[in-house]
Coordinates of all heavy atoms in Angstrom, one line a residue:
M1 N -3.0 -11.2 -3.7 CA -4.0 -12.2 -3.9 C -5.3 -11.7 -4.2 O -5.6 -10.6 -3.5 CB -3.9 -13.2 -2.7 CG -5.2 -14.1 -2.7 SD -5.4 -14.9 -1.1 CE -4.7 -16.4 -1.5
Q2 N -6.1 -12.2 -5.1 CA -7.5 -11.7 -5.3 C -8.5 -12.8 -5.0 O -8.2 -14.0 -5.3 CB -7.6 -11.2 -6.8 CG -7.6 -12.3 -7.8 CD -7.7 -11.6 -9.2 OE1 -7.2 -10.5 -9.4 NE2 -8.4 -12.2 -10.1
K3 N -9.5 -12.4 -4.5 CA -10.6 -13.3 -4.2 C -11.8 -12.8 -4.8 O -12.0 -11.5 -5.0 CB -10.8 -13.4 -2.7 CG -9.6 -13.8 -1.9 CD -9.8 -13.6 -0.4 CE -8.4 -13.7 0.4 NZ -8.5 -13.2 1.7
T4 N -12.8 -13.7 -5.1 CA -14.1 -13.3 -5.7 C -15.2 -13.3 -4.6 O -15.3 -14.3 -4.0 CB -14.5 -14.2 -6.9 OG1 -13.4 -14.0 -7.8 CG2 -15.6 -13.7 -7.5
D5 N -16.0 -12.3 -4.5 CA -17.0 -12.3 -3.6 C -18.3 -11.6 -4.2 O -18.4 -10.4 -4.3 CB -16.6 -11.3 -2.4 CG -17.8 -11.2 -1.3 OD1 -18.7 -12.1 -1.4 OD2 -17.6 -10.3 -0.7
N6 N -19.1 -12.6 -4.9 CA -20.4 -12.0 -5.7 C -20.1 -11.0 -6.6 O -20.5 -9.8 -6.4 CB -21.4 -11.6 -4.6 CG -21.9 -12.8 -3.7 OD1 -21.8 -14.0 -4.1 ND2 -22.5 -12.5 -2.6
K7 N -19.2 -11.2 -7.6 CA -19.0 -10.2 -8.7 C -18.1 -9.2 -8.2 O -17.8 -8.2 -8.9 CB -20.2 -9.6 -9.4 CG -21.1 -10.6 -10.1 CD -22.1 -10.0 -10.8 CE -22.9 -11.0 -11.5 NZ -23.8 -10.4 -12.5
M8 N -17.6 -9.2 -6.9 CA -16.6 -8.3 -6.4 C -15.3 -9.0 -6.2 O -15.3 -10.2 -5.8 CB -17.1 -7.7 -5.0 CG -18.3 -6.9 -5.0 SD -18.1 -5.3 -5.8 CE -17.4 -4.5 -4.5
K9 N -14.2 -8.4 -6.7 CA -12.9 -9.0 -6.4 C -12.3 -8.3 -5.1 O -12.4 -7.1 -5.0 CB -12.1 -8.9 -7.6 CG -12.5 -9.8 -8.7 CD -11.4 -9.7 -9.9 CE -11.9 -10.6 -11.0 NZ -10.9 -10.5 -12.1
I10 N -11.7 -9.1 -4.4 CA -10.9 -8.5 -3.3 C -9.4 -8.7 -3.4 O -9.0 -9.9 -3.7 CB -11.4 -9.2 -1.9 CG1 -12.8 -9.0 -1.6 CG2 -10.5 -8.7 -0.7 CD1 -13.4 -9.8 -0.5
Y11 N -8.7 -7.6 -3.4 CA -7.3 -7.7 -3.6 C -6.5 -7.4 -2.3 O -7.0 -6.5 -1.5 CB -6.8 -6.6 -4.5 CG -7.5 -6.7 -5.9 CD1 -8.7 -6.2 -6.3 CD2 -6.8 -7.5 -7.0 CE1 -9.3 -6.3 -7.5 CE2 -7.3 -7.6 -8.2 CZ -8.5 -7.1 -8.5 OH -9.1 -7.2 -9.7
D12 N -5.5 -8.2 -2.0 CA -4.8 -8.1 -0.8 C -3.5 -7.4 -1.1 O -2.7 -8.0 -2.0 CB -4.6 -9.5 -0.1 CG -5.8 -10.1 0.4 OD1 -6.7 -9.4 0.9 OD2 -6.0 -11.3 0.3
Y13 N -2.9 -6.5 -0.4 CA -1.7 -5.8 -0.6 C -1.0 -5.6 0.7 O -1.6 -5.2 1.7 CB -1.8 -4.5 -1.2 CG -2.2 -4.7 -2.7 CD1 -3.5 -4.5 -3.1 CD2 -1.2 -4.9 -3.7 CE1 -3.9 -4.7 -4.5 CE2 -1.6 -5.0 -5.0 CZ -2.9 -4.9 -5.4 OH -3.3 -5.1 -6.7
T14 N 0.3 -5.9 0.7 CA 1.2 -5.4 1.8 C 1.3 -4.0 2.0 O 1.6 -3.3 0.9 CB 2.5 -6.1 1.7 OG1 2.4 -7.6 1.7 CG2 3.4 -5.8 3.0
V15 N 1.0 -3.4 3.2 CA 1.1 -2.0 3.3 C 2.1 -1.8 4.5 O 2.1 -2.4 5.5 CB -0.3 -1.4 3.6 CG1 -0.1 0.1 3.9 CG2 -1.1 -1.6 2.5
I16 N 3.0 -0.7 4.3 CA 3.9 -0.4 5.3 C 3.5 1.0 5.9 O 3.4 2.0 5.1 CB 5.3 -0.4 4.8 CG1 5.7 -1.8 4.3 CG2 6.3 0.1 5.9 CD1 6.9 -1.8 3.4
F17 N 3.4 1.0 7.2 CA 3.1 2.4 7.9 C 4.4 2.9 8.5 O 4.9 2.3 9.5 CB 2.1 2.2 8.9 CG 0.8 1.8 8.2 CD1 0.4 0.4 8.5 CD2 -0.1 2.6 7.5 CE1 -0.7 0.0 7.7 CE2 -1.3 2.2 7.0 CZ -1.6 0.9 7.1
K18 N 5.0 4.0 7.9 CA 6.2 4.5 8.5 C 6.0 5.7 9.3 O 5.6 6.7 8.8 CB 7.2 4.8 7.3 CG 8.6 5.3 7.7 CD 9.3 5.8 6.5 CE 10.7 6.3 7.0 NZ 11.4 6.9 5.9
P19 N 6.3 5.6 10.6 CA 6.2 6.8 11.5 C 7.0 8.0 11.0 O 8.2 7.7 10.7 CB 6.5 6.2 12.8 CG 6.5 4.7 12.9 CD 6.8 4.5 11.4
L20 N 6.4 9.1 11.1 CA 7.1 10.4 10.8 C 7.6 11.1 12.0 O 6.9 11.1 13.0 CB 6.2 11.3 9.9 CG 5.7 10.7 8.7 CD1 4.6 11.6 7.9 CD2 6.9 10.4 7.7
D21 N 8.7 11.7 11.9 CA 9.3 12.5 13.1 C 8.3 13.6 13.6 O 8.2 13.8 14.8 CB 10.6 13.1 12.7 CG 11.7 12.1 12.6 OD1 11.6 11.0 13.1 OD2 12.8 12.5 11.9
E22 N 7.6 14.2 12.6 CA 6.8 15.3 13.0 C 5.4 14.7 13.4 O 4.4 15.5 13.5 CB 6.7 16.3 11.9 CG 6.2 15.7 10.5 CD 7.2 15.1 9.7 OE1 8.2 14.8 10.1 OE2 6.9 14.8 8.5
G23 N 5.2 13.4 13.3 CA 3.9 12.9 13.8 C 3.2 12.3 12.5 O 3.4 12.8 11.4
G24 N 2.3 11.3 12.7 CA 1.6 10.8 11.6 C 2.3 9.6 11.0 O 3.5 9.2 11.5
F25 N 1.9 9.1 9.8 CA 2.4 7.9 9.2 C 2.5 8.1 7.7 O 1.4 8.4 7.1 CB 1.7 6.6 9.5 CG 1.8 6.3 11.0 CD1 0.8 6.9 11.9 CD2 2.7 5.5 11.5 CE1 0.8 6.7 13.3 CE2 2.7 5.2 12.9 CZ 1.8 5.8 13.8
D26 N 3.6 7.8 7.1 CA 3.7 7.7 5.6 C 3.2 6.3 5.3 O 3.3 5.3 6.0 CB 5.1 7.8 5.1 CG 5.5 9.1 4.5 OD1 4.5 10.0 4.3 OD2 6.7 9.4 4.5
V27 N 2.5 6.1 4.1 CA 2.0 4.8 3.7 C 2.8 4.4 2.4 O 3.0 5.2 1.6 CB 0.5 4.8 3.4 CG1 0.0 3.5 2.8 CG2 -0.3 5.3 4.4
I28 N 3.3 3.2 2.5 CA 4.1 2.7 1.5 C 3.5 1.3 1.1 O 3.1 0.5 1.9 CB 5.6 2.3 1.8 CG1 6.2 3.6 2.3 CG2 6.4 1.7 0.7 CD1 7.5 3.4 3.1
V29 N 3.1 1.2 -0.3 CA 2.6 0.1 -0.9 C 3.6 -0.5 -1.9 O 3.8 -0.1 -3.0 CB 1.2 0.2 -1.6 CG1 0.6 -1.1 -2.1 CG2 0.3 1.0 -0.7
P30 N 4.4 -1.4 -1.5 CA 5.6 -2.0 -2.3 C 5.1 -2.4 -3.8 O 5.8 -2.1 -4.7 CB 6.1 -3.1 -1.6 CG 5.9 -2.7 -0.1 CD 4.5 -2.1 -0.1
A31 N 3.9 -3.1 -3.9 CA 3.4 -3.5 -5.1 C 2.9 -2.3 -6.0 O 2.9 -2.5 -7.3 CB 2.4 -4.5 -5.0
I32 N 2.6 -1.3 -5.4 CA 2.2 -0.1 -6.2 C 2.9 1.2 -5.8 O 2.4 2.0 -5.0 CB 0.6 0.2 -6.0 CG1 -0.2 -1.1 -6.2 CG2 0.1 1.2 -6.9 CD1 -1.6 -1.2 -5.8
P33 N 4.1 1.3 -6.2 CA 5.0 2.4 -5.8 C 4.4 3.8 -6.1 O 4.9 4.8 -5.5 CB 6.3 2.2 -6.4 CG 6.0 1.2 -7.6 CD 4.8 0.5 -7.2
E34 N 3.4 4.0 -7.0 CA 2.8 5.2 -7.4 C 2.0 5.7 -6.3 O 1.7 7.0 -6.2 CB 2.0 5.0 -8.7 CG 2.8 4.7 -9.9 CD 2.9 3.1 -10.0 OE1 2.6 2.3 -9.0 OE2 3.3 2.7 -11.1
I35 N 1.6 4.9 -5.4 CA 0.7 5.4 -4.2 C 1.6 6.2 -3.2 O 2.6 5.8 -2.8 CB 0.0 4.2 -3.5 CG1 -1.1 3.7 -4.4 CG2 -0.6 4.7 -2.2 CD1 -1.8 2.5 -3.9
C36 N 1.1 7.5 -3.0 CA 1.8 8.3 -2.0 C 0.7 8.9 -1.2 O -0.1 9.8 -1.6 CB 2.5 9.4 -2.8 SG 3.3 10.6 -1.8
T37 N 0.5 8.4 0.2 CA -0.4 8.9 1.0 C 0.1 8.8 2.4 O 1.2 8.3 2.7 CB -1.9 8.3 0.9 OG1 -2.8 9.0 1.6 CG2 -1.7 6.8 1.2
F38 N -0.7 9.5 3.4 CA -0.3 9.4 4.8 C -1.5 9.6 5.7 O -2.6 10.0 5.1 CB 0.8 10.4 5.1 CG 0.3 11.8 5.1 CD1 -0.1 12.5 6.3 CD2 0.1 12.5 4.0 CE1 -0.5 13.8 6.3 CE2 -0.4 13.8 4.0 CZ -0.8 14.4 5.1
G39 N -1.3 9.5 7.0 CA -2.4 9.8 7.9 C -1.8 10.3 9.1 O -0.7 10.0 9.5
D40 N -2.6 11.1 9.9 CA -2.2 11.6 11.1 C -2.1 10.5 12.2 O -1.4 10.6 13.2 CB -3.1 12.8 11.6 CG -2.9 14.0 10.8 OD1 -1.8 14.3 10.3 OD2 -4.0 14.7 10.6
T41 N -3.0 9.5 12.2 CA -3.0 8.4 13.0 C -2.9 7.1 12.3 O -3.1 7.2 11.0 CB -4.4 8.2 13.9 OG1 -5.3 8.1 12.9 CG2 -4.6 9.6 14.7
I42 N -2.6 6.0 12.9 CA -2.5 4.7 12.2 C -3.8 4.3 11.5 O -3.9 3.9 10.4 CB -1.9 3.7 13.1 CG1 -1.5 2.4 12.2 CG2 -2.9 3.2 14.1 CD1 -0.3 2.6 11.4
E43 N -4.9 4.7 12.2 CA -6.2 4.5 11.7 C -6.5 5.2 10.4 O -7.1 4.7 9.5 CB -7.3 4.7 12.7 CG -7.3 3.7 14.0 CD -6.3 4.1 15.0 OE1 -5.7 5.3 14.9 OE2 -6.0 3.3 15.8
E44 N -6.2 6.5 10.4 CA -6.3 7.3 9.4 C -5.5 6.9 8.2 O -5.9 6.9 7.0 CB -6.1 8.8 9.7 CG -6.3 9.8 8.5 CD -6.1 11.2 8.8 OE1 -5.0 11.5 9.5 OE2 -7.0 12.0 8.5
A45 N -4.2 6.5 8.4 CA -3.3 6.1 7.4 C -3.8 4.8 6.8 O -3.7 4.6 5.5 CB -1.9 5.9 8.1
R46 N -4.4 4.0 7.5 CA -5.0 2.7 7.0 C -6.1 3.0 6.1 O -6.3 2.5 5.0 CB -5.5 1.8 8.2 CG -5.8 0.4 7.7 CD -6.3 -0.5 8.8 NE -5.1 -0.7 9.8 CZ -5.0 -0.3 10.9 NH1 -5.8 0.5 11.5 NH2 -3.8 -0.6 11.6
E47 N -7.0 3.9 6.4 CA -8.2 4.3 5.7 C -7.6 5.0 4.4 O -8.1 4.7 3.2 CB -9.1 5.3 6.4 CG -9.9 4.7 7.5 CD -10.6 5.8 8.3 OE1 -10.7 6.9 7.9 OE2 -11.2 5.4 9.4
M48 N -6.6 5.8 4.4 CA -6.1 6.4 3.3 C -5.5 5.4 2.4 O -5.6 5.5 1.1 CB -5.1 7.6 3.8 CG -5.5 8.7 4.6 SD -6.8 9.7 3.7 CE -5.8 10.6 2.5
A49 N -4.8 4.4 2.9 CA -4.3 3.4 2.1 C -5.3 2.6 1.4 O -5.2 2.4 0.1 CB -3.4 2.4 3.0
E50 N -6.3 2.2 2.0 CA -7.4 1.5 1.5 C -8.1 2.4 0.3 O -8.3 1.8 -0.8 CB -8.4 1.2 2.4 CG -8.1 0.1 3.4 CD -9.1 -0.1 4.5 OE1 -10.1 0.5 4.6 OE2 -8.7 -0.9 5.4
D51 N -8.3 3.6 0.5 CA -8.8 4.5 -0.5 C -7.9 4.7 -1.7 O -8.3 4.6 -2.9 CB -9.2 5.9 0.0 CG -9.8 6.7 -0.9 OD1 -10.9 6.4 -1.4 OD2 -9.4 7.9 -1.2
A52 N -6.6 4.8 -1.5 CA -5.7 5.0 -2.6 C -5.5 3.8 -3.4 O -5.5 3.8 -4.6 CB -4.2 5.4 -1.9
I53 N -5.5 2.6 -2.8 CA -5.4 1.3 -3.5 C -6.6 1.1 -4.4 O -6.6 0.8 -5.4 CB -5.1 0.2 -2.5 CG1 -3.8 0.3 -1.8 CG2 -5.2 -1.2 -3.2 CD1 -3.6 -0.6 -0.7
K54 N -7.9 1.4 -3.7 CA -9.1 1.2 -4.4 C -9.0 2.0 -5.7 O -9.5 1.7 -6.7 CB -10.3 1.5 -3.5 CG -11.7 1.3 -4.2 CD -12.8 1.5 -3.2 CE -14.1 1.4 -4.0 NZ -15.2 1.8 -3.0
C55 N -8.7 3.3 -5.4 CA -8.7 4.3 -6.6 C -7.8 3.9 -7.7 O -8.1 3.9 -8.9 CB -8.4 5.7 -6.2 SG -9.7 6.6 -5.2
Y56 N -6.6 3.4 -7.3 CA -5.6 3.0 -8.3 C -6.2 1.7 -9.1 O -6.1 1.7 -10.3 CB -4.3 2.5 -7.6 CG -3.3 2.1 -8.5 CD1 -2.3 3.0 -9.0 CD2 -3.2 0.8 -9.1 CE1 -1.4 2.7 -9.9 CE2 -2.2 0.4 -9.9 CZ -1.3 1.3 -10.4 OH -0.3 1.0 -11.2
I57 N -6.8 0.8 -8.4 CA -7.3 -0.4 -9.1 C -8.5 0.0 -10.0 O -8.6 -0.6 -11.1 CB -7.8 -1.5 -8.0 CG1 -6.5 -2.0 -7.4 CG2 -8.5 -2.6 -8.7 CD1 -6.8 -3.0 -6.2
E58 N -9.4 0.7 -9.5 CA -10.5 1.2 -10.3 C -10.1 2.0 -11.6 O -10.6 1.7 -12.6 CB -11.5 2.1 -9.5 CG -12.3 1.3 -8.4 CD -13.1 2.1 -7.6 OE1 -12.9 3.5 -7.4 OE2 -14.0 1.7 -7.0
S59 N -9.1 2.8 -11.4 CA -8.6 3.5 -12.6 C -7.8 2.5 -13.6 O -8.1 2.5 -14.8 CB -7.4 4.5 -12.1 OG -6.9 5.1 -13.2
A60 N -7.0 1.5 -13.0 CA -6.4 0.6 -13.9 C -7.5 -0.2 -14.7 O -7.3 -0.5 -15.8 CB -5.6 -0.4 -13.0
L61 N -8.5 -0.6 -13.9 CA -9.6 -1.4 -14.6 C -10.3 -0.5 -15.7 O -10.6 -1.1 -16.9 CB -10.6 -1.9 -13.7 CG -10.3 -3.0 -12.7 CD1 -11.3 -3.1 -11.6 CD2 -9.9 -4.3 -13.3
E62 N -10.6 0.7 -15.5 CA -11.2 1.6 -16.5 C -10.3 1.7 -17.7 O -10.7 1.8 -18.9 CB -11.5 2.9 -15.9 CG -12.7 3.0 -15.0 CD -12.9 4.4 -14.4 OE1 -12.5 5.4 -15.1 OE2 -13.6 4.5 -13.5
L63 N -9.0 1.8 -17.5 CA -8.0 1.9 -18.5 C -7.5 0.6 -19.1 O -6.7 0.5 -20.0 CB -6.8 2.8 -18.1 CG -7.2 4.2 -17.6 CD1 -6.0 4.8 -16.9 CD2 -7.7 5.1 -18.8
N64 N -8.1 -0.5 -18.7 CA -7.8 -1.8 -19.1 C -6.3 -2.1 -19.0 O -5.7 -2.7 -19.8 CB -8.1 -2.0 -20.6 CG -8.4 -3.5 -20.8 OD1 -8.8 -4.2 -20.0 ND2 -8.4 -3.8 -22.2
E65 N -5.7 -1.6 -17.9 CA -4.3 -1.9 -17.5 C -4.2 -3.0 -16.5 O -5.3 -3.3 -15.9 CB -3.7 -0.6 -16.9 CG -3.6 0.6 -17.9 CD -3.0 1.8 -17.2 OE1 -2.8 1.8 -15.9 OE2 -2.7 2.7 -18.0
P66 N -3.1 -3.7 -16.5 CA -2.9 -4.8 -15.5 C -3.1 -4.4 -14.0 O -2.6 -3.3 -13.8 CB -1.6 -5.4 -15.9 CG -0.9 -4.3 -16.5 CD -1.8 -3.4 -17.2
I67 N -3.6 -5.2 -13.3 CA -3.6 -5.0 -11.8 C -2.4 -5.6 -11.1 O -2.1 -6.8 -11.4 CB -4.9 -5.6 -11.2 CG1 -6.2 -5.1 -12.0 CG2 -4.9 -5.3 -9.7 CD1 -6.4 -3.7 -11.9
P68 N -1.5 -4.9 -10.5 CA -0.4 -5.5 -10.0 C -0.7 -6.4 -8.8 O -1.7 -6.3 -8.1 CB 0.4 -4.3 -9.3 CG -0.6 -3.1 -9.3 CD -1.7 -3.4 -10.2
T69 N 0.1 -7.5 -8.7 CA -0.1 -8.4 -7.6 C 0.8 -8.0 -6.4 O 1.8 -7.2 -6.6 CB 0.4 -9.8 -8.1 OG1 1.7 -9.8 -8.5 CG2 -0.6 -10.2 -9.2
D70 N 0.5 -8.4 -5.2 CA 1.2 -8.2 -4.1 C 2.7 -8.6 -4.2 O 2.9 -9.7 -4.8 CB 0.6 -8.7 -2.9 CG 1.1 -8.1 -1.5 OD1 1.6 -7.0 -1.5 OD2 1.0 -8.8 -0.5
S71 N 3.6 -8.0 -3.6 CA 5.0 -8.5 -3.7 C 5.5 -8.7 -2.3 O 5.0 -8.2 -1.3 CB 5.8 -7.3 -4.3 OG 5.6 -6.1 -3.5
E72 N 6.4 -9.8 -2.3 CA 7.0 -10.2 -1.0 C 7.9 -9.1 -0.6 O 8.7 -8.4 -1.3 CB 7.8 -11.5 -1.2 CG 6.9 -12.6 -1.4 CD 6.2 -13.0 -0.1 OE1 6.8 -12.9 1.0 OE2 5.1 -13.5 -0.2
V73 N 7.9 -8.7 0.7 CA 8.7 -7.7 1.3 C 9.5 -8.3 2.4 O 9.0 -9.1 3.1 CB 7.8 -6.5 1.8 CG1 8.7 -5.4 2.4 CG2 7.0 -6.0 0.7
S74 N 10.8 -8.0 2.3 CA 11.7 -8.4 3.5 C 12.3 -7.2 4.1 O 12.7 -6.2 3.4 CB 12.7 -9.5 3.0 OG 13.6 -8.9 2.1
F75 N 12.6 -7.3 5.4 CA 13.0 -6.1 6.1 C 14.4 -6.7 6.8 O 14.4 -7.8 7.4 CB 12.2 -5.6 7.1 CG 10.9 -4.9 6.6 CD1 9.8 -5.6 6.4 CD2 11.1 -3.6 6.2 CE1 8.7 -5.0 5.9 CE2 9.9 -3.0 5.7 CZ 8.8 -3.7 5.6
E76 N 15.4 -5.8 6.9 CA 16.7 -6.2 7.6 C 17.3 -5.0 7.9 O 17.4 -4.0 7.2 CB 17.3 -7.2 6.6 CG 18.7 -7.2 6.6 CD 19.4 -8.1 5.6 OE1 18.7 -8.8 4.9 OE2 20.6 -8.1 5.5
K77 N 18.0 -5.0 9.1 CA 18.8 -3.8 9.5 C 20.1 -4.1 9.0 O 20.7 -5.3 9.2 CB 18.7 -3.6 11.0 CG 17.5 -2.9 11.5 CD 17.6 -2.5 12.8 CE 16.3 -1.9 13.3 NZ 16.3 -1.3 14.6
I78 N 20.9 -3.2 8.5 CA 22.3 -3.3 8.0 C 23.2 -2.3 8.9 O 22.8 -1.1 8.9 CB 22.4 -3.1 6.6 CG1 21.5 -4.1 5.7 CG2 23.9 -3.1 6.1 CD1 21.5 -3.9 4.3
A79 N 24.1 -2.8 9.6 CA 25.1 -1.8 10.2 C 26.2 -1.4 9.3 O 26.8 -2.2 8.6 CB 25.7 -2.6 11.4
I80 N 26.3 -0.1 9.2 CA 27.3 0.5 8.3 C 28.3 1.3 9.2 O 28.1 2.1 10.1 CB 26.7 1.5 7.3 CG1 25.5 0.9 6.6 CG2 27.8 2.1 6.5 CD1 25.9 -0.2 5.8
K81 N 29.7 0.9 9.1 CA 30.8 1.6 9.8 C 31.2 2.7 8.9 O 31.6 2.5 7.8 CB 31.9 0.5 10.1 CG 31.6 -0.5 11.1 CD 32.7 -1.4 11.4 CE 32.3 -2.5 12.3 NZ 33.5 -3.5 12.5
V82 N 31.4 3.9 9.5 CA 31.9 5.1 8.8 C 32.9 5.6 9.8 O 32.6 5.9 11.0 CB 30.8 6.1 8.5 CG1 31.3 7.2 7.8 CG2 29.7 5.4 7.7
A83 N 34.1 6.0 9.2 CA 35.0 6.8 10.0 C 34.6 8.1 10.3 O 34.0 8.8 9.5 CB 36.4 6.8 9.2
S84 N 34.9 8.4 11.6 CA 34.4 9.9 12.1 C 35.6 10.7 12.3 O 36.7 10.4 12.3 CB 33.6 9.8 13.3 OG 34.2 8.9 14.3

């Protein structure tokens, strides 16, 4: 969703923070799969996500490319049986 704020547009995106085994968080932006970033803490991961999304949008605007809209995301656990 985009909002206008005095010649500024605000874009809202769903962001997923995936904890890493070695520590830190991967950042996933389903609407913009090209974004690949992470942070050592959730706060840092959030800042990195904001910066990456902003850079992506600014680049798209400069190149006159479309700005992706946020996408609906659903999560579900699936149990898989495998013979051992």
Side-chain angles (χ1 to χ4, degrees):
M1 167 194 261
Q2 72 184 31
K3 302 171 193 166
T4 304
D5 179 19
N6 297 337
K7 296 189 180 191
M8 298 286 289
K9 289 186 180 177
I10 300 171
Y11 298 88
D12 295 321
Y13 288 99
T14 299
V15 179
I16 300 166
F17 301 100
K18 181 180 176 192
L20 300 171
D21 291 340
E22 61 274 10
F25 297 86
D26 264 341
V27 176
I28 301 164
V29 184
I32 312 173
E34 297 86 349
I35 289 180
C36 179
T37 191
F38 74 98
D40 290 328
T41 65
I42 193 72
E43 293 82 11
E44 183 181 46
R46 189 176 296 111
E47 289 174 12
M48 297 299 286
E50 291 172 0
D51 185 57
I53 293 168
K54 182 179 180 184
C55 288
Y56 183 93
I57 291 172
E58 288 174 343
S59 176
L61 290 170
E62 284 181 23
L63 298 171
N64 206 24
E65 294 179 353
I67 306 299
T69 57
D70 195 27
S71 56
E72 288 292 320
V73 179
S74 64
F75 294 92
E76 143 181 0
K77 287 188 179 188
I78 299 174
I80 309 299
K81 293 182 182 180
V82 178
S84 52

